[in-house]
Amino acid sequence: MSEQWRLLRHGARSAYENMAIDEAILRCVTAQTSPPTLRFYRWQPSAVSIGYFQGIEQEVDLEACAARGVDVIRRLTGGGAVYHDYEGEITYSLAIPDDYPGIPHKILDSYGILCQGLIVGLRSLGMPAEFKPINDIIVNGRKISGNAQTRRFRGILQHGTLLCEVDAPLMFTLLKVPNEKIRDKLIASVEERVTSIKREMGAVDRERVTQAMIDGFAEALDIRFVPGDLSDHEHALAQTLREENYATNTWNYKR
């Protein structure tokens, strides 16, 4: 019998709200006051997120971000700095208990299973998606999705991006690079190594792509989704986490 998960389709929120909501859901899932949850969302305004162990001033051109109205935030998960473009990606997160049936205890082993939902979804759209360790999904040899995970509060939080369009010059305007010569090489490298829904399909139908991902997770993980919303407690907890953590310099400049 299929497991039942909650499905949240949240549209666009600020970086501070998005990261606070992800943590609030994780805490409530592990407290058994909320069911396992898959959430889809966007970033408005666009944002740069850095991994939990990174230093914001070392990774991000803060002046360039401020000039373009781009938020900057530290994630709860590890990994590198990522530019989240409002038009350029679909973001998902999932939260489950750390003893969820069939999910390996080792993070590196679990990526291959939890990313299968995206792979099945992309294949249903006609793209020959494959998992590439540690935590990427590739199509025709190029990266289309990056994913990050953390184990906290006796739960698993994994979130990741599905690239709809890629603006490499803008990305390397917002991220710190040593000099213009290196910037040009990095842009060329990204344009060679990274792909997108638009590049593979010629157009981006967000609703169609998101539904394909939902169906992909349902098939890959043998789950049944029930559309829902945040509980009152999750709303309140997310607001507290946003104000006391994610929107503060103490959190974002902690390293």
PDB file of all heavy atoms in Angstrom, residues 33-64:
ATOM      1  N   THR A  33       3.667  15.900  13.957  1.00  0.00           N
ATOM      2  CA  THR A  33       2.467  16.740  13.882  1.00  0.00           C
ATOM      3  C   THR A  33       2.125  17.094  12.439  1.00  0.00           C
ATOM      4  O   THR A  33       1.079  17.688  12.182  1.00  0.00           O
ATOM      5  CB  THR A  33       2.650  18.037  14.699  1.00  0.00           C
ATOM      6  OG1 THR A  33       3.801  18.743  14.210  1.00  0.00           O
ATOM      7  CG2 THR A  33       2.843  17.711  16.176  1.00  0.00           C
ATOM      8  N   SER A  34       3.025  16.749  11.510  1.00  0.00           N
ATOM      9  CA  SER A  34       2.776  16.932  10.082  1.00  0.00           C
ATOM     10  C   SER A  34       3.220  15.680   9.346  1.00  0.00           C
ATOM     11  O   SER A  34       4.150  14.991   9.785  1.00  0.00           O
ATOM     12  CB  SER A  34       3.544  18.140   9.535  1.00  0.00           C
ATOM     13  OG  SER A  34       3.069  19.337  10.108  1.00  0.00           O
ATOM     14  N   PRO A  35       2.606  15.381   8.215  1.00  0.00           N
ATOM     15  CA  PRO A  35       2.983  14.188   7.454  1.00  0.00           C
ATOM     16  C   PRO A  35       4.220  14.452   6.606  1.00  0.00           C
ATOM     17  O   PRO A  35       4.609  15.617   6.401  1.00  0.00           O
ATOM     18  CB  PRO A  35       1.752  13.964   6.564  1.00  0.00           C
ATOM     19  CG  PRO A  35       1.211  15.336   6.340  1.00  0.00           C
ATOM     20  CD  PRO A  35       1.450  16.085   7.622  1.00  0.00           C
ATOM     21  N   PRO A  36       4.865  13.409   6.086  1.00  0.00           N
ATOM     22  CA  PRO A  36       5.926  13.615   5.110  1.00  0.00           C
ATOM     23  C   PRO A  36       5.430  14.554   4.014  1.00  0.00           C
ATOM     24  O   PRO A  36       4.270  14.455   3.592  1.00  0.00           O
ATOM     25  CB  PRO A  36       6.196  12.207   4.573  1.00  0.00           C
ATOM     26  CG  PRO A  36       5.814  11.301   5.703  1.00  0.00           C
ATOM     27  CD  PRO A  36       4.630  11.960   6.345  1.00  0.00           C
ATOM     28  N   THR A  37       6.286  15.453   3.578  1.00  0.00           N
ATOM     29  CA  THR A  37       5.825  16.555   2.727  1.00  0.00           C
ATOM     30  C   THR A  37       6.761  16.788   1.544  1.00  0.00           C
ATOM     31  O   THR A  37       7.988  16.796   1.706  1.00  0.00           O
ATOM     32  CB  THR A  37       5.724  17.847   3.549  1.00  0.00           C
ATOM     33  OG1 THR A  37       4.760  17.665   4.606  1.00  0.00           O
ATOM     34  CG2 THR A  37       5.288  19.025   2.685  1.00  0.00           C
ATOM     35  N   LEU A  38       6.154  17.015   0.374  1.00  0.00           N
ATOM     36  CA  LEU A  38       6.871  17.480  -0.813  1.00  0.00           C
ATOM     37  C   LEU A  38       6.333  18.859  -1.152  1.00  0.00           C
ATOM     38  O   LEU A  38       5.122  19.052  -1.257  1.00  0.00           O
ATOM     39  CB  LEU A  38       6.647  16.529  -1.989  1.00  0.00           C
ATOM     40  CG  LEU A  38       7.275  16.946  -3.332  1.00  0.00           C
ATOM     41  CD1 LEU A  38       8.798  16.898  -3.263  1.00  0.00           C
ATOM     42  CD2 LEU A  38       6.769  16.047  -4.463  1.00  0.00           C
ATOM     43  N   ARG A  39       7.243  19.816  -1.307  1.00  0.00           N
ATOM     44  CA  ARG A  39       6.845  21.201  -1.562  1.00  0.00           C
ATOM     45  C   ARG A  39       7.542  21.741  -2.805  1.00  0.00           C
ATOM     46  O   ARG A  39       8.725  21.467  -3.026  1.00  0.00           O
ATOM     47  CB  ARG A  39       7.216  22.079  -0.358  1.00  0.00           C
ATOM     48  CG  ARG A  39       6.771  23.532  -0.473  1.00  0.00           C
ATOM     49  CD  ARG A  39       6.927  24.258   0.851  1.00  0.00           C
ATOM     50  NE  ARG A  39       8.263  24.786   1.073  1.00  0.00           N
ATOM     51  CZ  ARG A  39       8.620  26.059   0.872  1.00  0.00           C
ATOM     52  NH1 ARG A  39       7.742  26.944   0.433  1.00  0.00           N
ATOM     53  NH2 ARG A  39       9.851  26.455   1.128  1.00  0.00           N
ATOM     54  N   PHE A  40       6.810  22.499  -3.617  1.00  0.00           N
ATOM     55  CA  PHE A  40       7.381  23.194  -4.772  1.00  0.00           C
ATOM     56  C   PHE A  40       7.222  24.695  -4.568  1.00  0.00           C
ATOM     57  O   PHE A  40       6.166  25.153  -4.122  1.00  0.00           O
ATOM     58  CB  PHE A  40       6.681  22.767  -6.061  1.00  0.00           C
ATOM     59  CG  PHE A  40       7.015  21.363  -6.474  1.00  0.00           C
ATOM     60  CD1 PHE A  40       6.235  20.298  -6.040  1.00  0.00           C
ATOM     61  CD2 PHE A  40       8.113  21.091  -7.277  1.00  0.00           C
ATOM     62  CE1 PHE A  40       6.540  18.992  -6.392  1.00  0.00           C
ATOM     63  CE2 PHE A  40       8.434  19.795  -7.645  1.00  0.00           C
ATOM     64  CZ  PHE A  40       7.641  18.744  -7.201  1.00  0.00           C
ATOM     65  N   TYR A  41       8.272  25.455  -4.930  1.00  0.00           N
ATOM     66  CA  TYR A  41       8.213  26.897  -4.732  1.00  0.00           C
ATOM     67  C   TYR A  41       9.179  27.621  -5.655  1.00  0.00           C
ATOM     68  O   TYR A  41      10.001  27.008  -6.335  1.00  0.00           O
ATOM     69  CB  TYR A  41       8.485  27.258  -3.274  1.00  0.00           C
ATOM     70  CG  TYR A  41       9.783  26.754  -2.681  1.00  0.00           C
ATOM     71  CD1 TYR A  41      10.946  27.527  -2.709  1.00  0.00           C
ATOM     72  CD2 TYR A  41       9.850  25.510  -2.050  1.00  0.00           C
ATOM     73  CE1 TYR A  41      12.124  27.085  -2.127  1.00  0.00           C
ATOM     74  CE2 TYR A  41      11.033  25.053  -1.470  1.00  0.00           C
ATOM     75  CZ  TYR A  41      12.158  25.839  -1.514  1.00  0.00           C
ATOM     76  OH  TYR A  41      13.327  25.398  -0.948  1.00  0.00           O
ATOM     77  N   ARG A  42       9.057  28.956  -5.669  1.00  0.00           N
ATOM     78  CA  ARG A  42       9.954  29.831  -6.415  1.00  0.00           C
ATOM     79  C   ARG A  42      10.486  30.900  -5.473  1.00  0.00           C
ATOM     80  O   ARG A  42      10.021  31.020  -4.337  1.00  0.00           O
ATOM     81  CB  ARG A  42       9.218  30.474  -7.599  1.00  0.00           C
ATOM     82  CG  ARG A  42       8.740  29.474  -8.619  1.00  0.00           C
ATOM     83  CD  ARG A  42       7.806  30.093  -9.644  1.00  0.00           C
ATOM     84  NE  ARG A  42       8.526  30.953 -10.596  1.00  0.00           N
ATOM     85  CZ  ARG A  42       7.923  31.615 -11.573  1.00  0.00           C
ATOM     86  NH1 ARG A  42       6.601  31.538 -11.717  1.00  0.00           N
ATOM     87  NH2 ARG A  42       8.625  32.362 -12.404  1.00  0.00           N
ATOM     88  N   TRP A  43      11.440  31.676  -5.966  1.00  0.00           N
ATOM     89  CA  TRP A  43      12.114  32.702  -5.163  1.00  0.00           C
ATOM     90  C   TRP A  43      11.780  34.080  -5.724  1.00  0.00           C
ATOM     91  O   TRP A  43      12.068  34.383  -6.877  1.00  0.00           O
ATOM     92  CB  TRP A  43      13.619  32.498  -5.208  1.00  0.00           C
ATOM     93  CG  TRP A  43      14.068  31.122  -4.837  1.00  0.00           C
ATOM     94  CD1 TRP A  43      13.852  29.970  -5.543  1.00  0.00           C
ATOM     95  CD2 TRP A  43      14.816  30.748  -3.670  1.00  0.00           C
ATOM     96  NE1 TRP A  43      14.423  28.895  -4.891  1.00  0.00           N
ATOM     97  CE2 TRP A  43      15.020  29.345  -3.746  1.00  0.00           C
ATOM     98  CE3 TRP A  43      15.345  31.465  -2.593  1.00  0.00           C
ATOM     99  CZ2 TRP A  43      15.728  28.654  -2.773  1.00  0.00           C
ATOM    100  CZ3 TRP A  43      16.043  30.772  -1.632  1.00  0.00           C
ATOM    101  CH2 TRP A  43      16.226  29.381  -1.710  1.00  0.00           C
ATOM    102  N   GLN A  44      11.160  34.921  -4.888  1.00  0.00           N
ATOM    103  CA  GLN A  44      10.839  36.286  -5.307  1.00  0.00           C
ATOM    104  C   GLN A  44      11.112  37.251  -4.155  1.00  0.00           C
ATOM    105  O   GLN A  44      10.424  37.176  -3.133  1.00  0.00           O
ATOM    106  CB  GLN A  44       9.387  36.387  -5.757  1.00  0.00           C
ATOM    107  CG  GLN A  44       9.051  37.715  -6.418  1.00  0.00           C
ATOM    108  CD  GLN A  44       7.644  37.733  -6.971  1.00  0.00           C
ATOM    109  OE1 GLN A  44       6.728  37.155  -6.382  1.00  0.00           O
ATOM    110  NE2 GLN A  44       7.444  38.398  -8.094  1.00  0.00           N
ATOM    111  N   PRO A  45      12.105  38.138  -4.287  1.00  0.00           N
ATOM    112  CA  PRO A  45      12.962  38.300  -5.468  1.00  0.00           C
ATOM    113  C   PRO A  45      13.938  37.134  -5.639  1.00  0.00           C
ATOM    114  O   PRO A  45      14.038  36.271  -4.760  1.00  0.00           O
ATOM    115  CB  PRO A  45      13.728  39.589  -5.152  1.00  0.00           C
ATOM    116  CG  PRO A  45      13.792  39.610  -3.649  1.00  0.00           C
ATOM    117  CD  PRO A  45      12.471  39.062  -3.198  1.00  0.00           C
ATOM    118  N   SER A  46      14.618  37.118  -6.788  1.00  0.00           N
ATOM    119  CA  SER A  46      15.663  36.117  -6.998  1.00  0.00           C
ATOM    120  C   SER A  46      16.670  36.192  -5.848  1.00  0.00           C
ATOM    121  O   SER A  46      16.782  37.211  -5.167  1.00  0.00           O
ATOM    122  CB  SER A  46      16.373  36.372  -8.329  1.00  0.00           C
ATOM    123  OG  SER A  46      15.458  36.302  -9.415  1.00  0.00           O
ATOM    124  N   ALA A  47      17.388  35.098  -5.639  1.00  0.00           N
ATOM    125  CA  ALA A  47      18.260  35.040  -4.462  1.00  0.00           C
ATOM    126  C   ALA A  47      19.510  34.214  -4.741  1.00  0.00           C
ATOM    127  O   ALA A  47      19.532  33.379  -5.649  1.00  0.00           O
ATOM    128  CB  ALA A  47      17.506  34.439  -3.279  1.00  0.00           C
ATOM    129  N   VAL A  48      20.527  34.445  -3.926  1.00  0.00           N
ATOM    130  CA  VAL A  48      21.682  33.563  -3.853  1.00  0.00           C
ATOM    131  C   VAL A  48      21.626  32.887  -2.492  1.00  0.00           C
ATOM    132  O   VAL A  48      21.490  33.549  -1.456  1.00  0.00           O
ATOM    133  CB  VAL A  48      23.010  34.335  -3.984  1.00  0.00           C
ATOM    134  CG1 VAL A  48      24.192  33.408  -3.708  1.00  0.00           C
ATOM    135  CG2 VAL A  48      23.131  34.948  -5.374  1.00  0.00           C
ATOM    136  N   SER A  49      21.710  31.560  -2.494  1.00  0.00           N
ATOM    137  CA  SER A  49      21.821  30.839  -1.226  1.00  0.00           C
ATOM    138  C   SER A  49      23.204  30.216  -1.137  1.00  0.00           C
ATOM    139  O   SER A  49      23.751  29.745  -2.133  1.00  0.00           O
ATOM    140  CB  SER A  49      20.740  29.753  -1.103  1.00  0.00           C
ATOM    141  OG  SER A  49      21.010  28.648  -1.945  1.00  0.00           O
ATOM    142  N   ILE A  50      23.768  30.268   0.062  1.00  0.00           N
ATOM    143  CA  ILE A  50      25.064  29.627   0.290  1.00  0.00           C
ATOM    144  C   ILE A  50      24.855  28.419   1.191  1.00  0.00           C
ATOM    145  O   ILE A  50      23.889  28.339   1.961  1.00  0.00           O
ATOM    146  CB  ILE A  50      26.084  30.591   0.923  1.00  0.00           C
ATOM    147  CG1 ILE A  50      25.614  31.061   2.307  1.00  0.00           C
ATOM    148  CG2 ILE A  50      26.343  31.771   0.000  1.00  0.00           C
ATOM    149  CD1 ILE A  50      26.698  31.758   3.115  1.00  0.00           C
ATOM    150  N   GLY A  51      25.757  27.447   1.085  1.00  0.00           N
ATOM    151  CA  GLY A  51      25.685  26.268   1.924  1.00  0.00           C
ATOM    152  C   GLY A  51      25.943  26.596   3.383  1.00  0.00           C
ATOM    153  O   GLY A  51      26.593  27.608   3.714  1.00  0.00           O
ATOM    154  N   TYR A  52      25.473  25.747   4.267  1.00  0.00           N
ATOM    155  CA  TYR A  52      25.557  25.985   5.708  1.00  0.00           C
ATOM    156  C   TYR A  52      26.985  26.270   6.173  1.00  0.00           C
ATOM    157  O   TYR A  52      27.205  27.091   7.070  1.00  0.00           O
ATOM    158  CB  TYR A  52      25.003  24.771   6.451  1.00  0.00           C
ATOM    159  CG  TYR A  52      25.043  24.908   7.945  1.00  0.00           C
ATOM    160  CD1 TYR A  52      24.114  25.708   8.616  1.00  0.00           C
ATOM    161  CD2 TYR A  52      26.022  24.265   8.710  1.00  0.00           C
ATOM    162  CE1 TYR A  52      24.154  25.853   9.993  1.00  0.00           C
ATOM    163  CE2 TYR A  52      26.067  24.397  10.081  1.00  0.00           C
ATOM    164  CZ  TYR A  52      25.134  25.201  10.720  1.00  0.00           C
ATOM    165  OH  TYR A  52      25.188  25.341  12.080  1.00  0.00           O
ATOM    166  N   PHE A  53      27.976  25.625   5.551  1.00  0.00           N
ATOM    167  CA  PHE A  53      29.348  25.737   6.034  1.00  0.00           C
ATOM    168  C   PHE A  53      30.158  26.806   5.311  1.00  0.00           C
ATOM    169  O   PHE A  53      31.351  26.960   5.570  1.00  0.00           O
ATOM    170  CB  PHE A  53      30.054  24.376   5.890  1.00  0.00           C
ATOM    171  CG  PHE A  53      29.385  23.290   6.679  1.00  0.00           C
ATOM    172  CD1 PHE A  53      28.566  22.366   6.056  1.00  0.00           C
ATOM    173  CD2 PHE A  53      29.549  23.201   8.054  1.00  0.00           C
ATOM    174  CE1 PHE A  53      27.944  21.363   6.780  1.00  0.00           C
ATOM    175  CE2 PHE A  53      28.933  22.213   8.795  1.00  0.00           C
ATOM    176  CZ  PHE A  53      28.114  21.287   8.155  1.00  0.00           C
ATOM    177  N   GLN A  54      29.527  27.569   4.417  1.00  0.00           N
ATOM    178  CA  GLN A  54      30.251  28.577   3.650  1.00  0.00           C
ATOM    179  C   GLN A  54      30.251  29.942   4.344  1.00  0.00           C
ATOM    180  O   GLN A  54      29.443  30.210   5.226  1.00  0.00           O
ATOM    181  CB  GLN A  54      29.641  28.717   2.256  1.00  0.00           C
ATOM    182  CG  GLN A  54      29.849  27.502   1.371  1.00  0.00           C
ATOM    183  CD  GLN A  54      29.374  27.750  -0.047  1.00  0.00           C
ATOM    184  OE1 GLN A  54      28.199  28.043  -0.278  1.00  0.00           O
ATOM    185  NE2 GLN A  54      30.281  27.632  -1.008  1.00  0.00           N
ATOM    186  N   GLY A  55      31.149  30.807   3.883  1.00  0.00           N
ATOM    187  CA  GLY A  55      31.192  32.188   4.342  1.00  0.00           C
ATOM    188  C   GLY A  55      30.576  33.092   3.295  1.00  0.00           C
ATOM    189  O   GLY A  55      30.987  33.070   2.130  1.00  0.00           O
ATOM    190  N   ILE A  56      29.606  33.889   3.691  1.00  0.00           N
ATOM    191  CA  ILE A  56      28.845  34.676   2.730  1.00  0.00           C
ATOM    192  C   ILE A  56      29.721  35.705   2.010  1.00  0.00           C
ATOM    193  O   ILE A  56      29.591  35.917   0.790  1.00  0.00           O
ATOM    194  CB  ILE A  56      27.644  35.345   3.444  1.00  0.00           C
ATOM    195  CG1 ILE A  56      26.587  35.778   2.434  1.00  0.00           C
ATOM    196  CG2 ILE A  56      28.084  36.506   4.317  1.00  0.00           C
ATOM    197  CD1 ILE A  56      25.262  36.137   3.099  1.00  0.00           C
ATOM    198  N   GLU A  57      30.634  36.325   2.738  1.00  0.00           N
ATOM    199  CA  GLU A  57      31.467  37.358   2.123  1.00  0.00           C
ATOM    200  C   GLU A  57      32.521  36.767   1.198  1.00  0.00           C
ATOM    201  O   GLU A  57      33.024  37.454   0.298  1.00  0.00           O
ATOM    202  CB  GLU A  57      32.119  38.218   3.207  1.00  0.00           C
ATOM    203  CG  GLU A  57      31.109  39.044   3.996  1.00  0.00           C
ATOM    204  CD  GLU A  57      31.739  39.770   5.156  1.00  0.00           C
ATOM    205  OE1 GLU A  57      32.275  39.090   6.060  1.00  0.00           O
ATOM    206  OE2 GLU A  57      31.712  41.007   5.165  1.00  0.00           O
ATOM    207  N   GLN A  58      32.868  35.507   1.396  1.00  0.00           N
ATOM    208  CA  GLN A  58      33.832  34.842   0.529  1.00  0.00           C
ATOM    209  C   GLN A  58      33.184  34.340  -0.764  1.00  0.00           C
ATOM    210  O   GLN A  58      33.861  34.182  -1.784  1.00  0.00           O
ATOM    211  CB  GLN A  58      34.471  33.647   1.251  1.00  0.00           C
ATOM    212  CG  GLN A  58      35.431  34.013   2.364  1.00  0.00           C
ATOM    213  CD  GLN A  58      34.724  34.546   3.601  1.00  0.00           C
ATOM    214  OE1 GLN A  58      33.734  33.969   4.032  1.00  0.00           O
ATOM    215  NE2 GLN A  58      35.229  35.642   4.159  1.00  0.00           N
ATOM    216  N   GLU A  59      31.887  34.077  -0.734  1.00  0.00           N
ATOM    217  CA  GLU A  59      31.216  33.441  -1.867  1.00  0.00           C
ATOM    218  C   GLU A  59      30.391  34.391  -2.724  1.00  0.00           C
ATOM    219  O   GLU A  59      30.158  34.119  -3.906  1.00  0.00           O
ATOM    220  CB  GLU A  59      30.289  32.325  -1.350  1.00  0.00           C
ATOM    221  CG  GLU A  59      30.983  31.249  -0.541  1.00  0.00           C
ATOM    222  CD  GLU A  59      31.948  30.427  -1.377  1.00  0.00           C
ATOM    223  OE1 GLU A  59      31.741  30.331  -2.607  1.00  0.00           O
ATOM    224  OE2 GLU A  59      32.908  29.880  -0.809  1.00  0.00           O
ATOM    225  N   VAL A  60      29.923  35.499  -2.133  1.00  0.00           N
ATOM    226  CA  VAL A  60      28.909  36.324  -2.797  1.00  0.00           C
ATOM    227  C   VAL A  60      29.391  37.758  -2.966  1.00  0.00           C
ATOM    228  O   VAL A  60      29.990  38.339  -2.045  1.00  0.00           O
ATOM    229  CB  VAL A  60      27.593  36.316  -1.973  1.00  0.00           C
ATOM    230  CG1 VAL A  60      26.501  37.078  -2.720  1.00  0.00           C
ATOM    231  CG2 VAL A  60      27.152  34.886  -1.684  1.00  0.00           C
ATOM    232  N   ASP A  61      29.120  38.334  -4.127  1.00  0.00           N
ATOM    233  CA  ASP A  61      29.364  39.765  -4.348  1.00  0.00           C
ATOM    234  C   ASP A  61      28.144  40.510  -3.816  1.00  0.00           C
ATOM    235  O   ASP A  61      27.143  40.679  -4.507  1.00  0.00           O
ATOM    236  CB  ASP A  61      29.566  40.052  -5.838  1.00  0.00           C
ATOM    237  CG  ASP A  61      30.009  41.487  -6.102  1.00  0.00           C
ATOM    238  OD1 ASP A  61      29.593  42.388  -5.342  1.00  0.00           O
ATOM    239  OD2 ASP A  61      30.750  41.715  -7.073  1.00  0.00           O
ATOM    240  N   LEU A  62      28.237  40.916  -2.572  1.00  0.00           N
ATOM    241  CA  LEU A  62      27.084  41.494  -1.889  1.00  0.00           C
ATOM    242  C   LEU A  62      26.641  42.815  -2.515  1.00  0.00           C
ATOM    243  O   LEU A  62      25.448  43.115  -2.556  1.00  0.00           O
ATOM    244  CB  LEU A  62      27.404  41.681  -0.406  1.00  0.00           C
ATOM    245  CG  LEU A  62      27.656  40.371   0.363  1.00  0.00           C
ATOM    246  CD1 LEU A  62      28.202  40.656   1.745  1.00  0.00           C
ATOM    247  CD2 LEU A  62      26.381  39.543   0.448  1.00  0.00           C
ATOM    248  N   GLU A  63      27.585  43.600  -3.004  1.00  0.00           N
ATOM    249  CA  GLU A  63      27.222  44.863  -3.651  1.00  0.00           C
ATOM    250  C   GLU A  63      26.440  44.613  -4.940  1.00  0.00           C
ATOM    251  O   GLU A  63      25.449  45.292  -5.224  1.00  0.00           O
ATOM    252  CB  GLU A  63      28.474  45.684  -3.945  1.00  0.00           C
ATOM    253  CG  GLU A  63      29.125  46.274  -2.707  1.00  0.00           C
ATOM    254  CD  GLU A  63      30.275  47.200  -3.060  1.00  0.00           C
ATOM    255  OE1 GLU A  63      30.498  47.443  -4.272  1.00  0.00           O
ATOM    256  OE2 GLU A  63      30.956  47.678  -2.131  1.00  0.00           O
ATOM    257  N   ALA A  64      26.869  43.632  -5.718  1.00  0.00           N
ATOM    258  CA  ALA A  64      26.174  43.309  -6.965  1.00  0.00           C
ATOM    259  C   ALA A  64      24.759  42.801  -6.673  1.00  0.00           C
ATOM    260  O   ALA A  64      23.804  43.146  -7.380  1.00  0.00           O
ATOM    261  CB  ALA A  64      26.960  42.271  -7.755  1.00  0.00           C
TER     262      ALA A  64
END
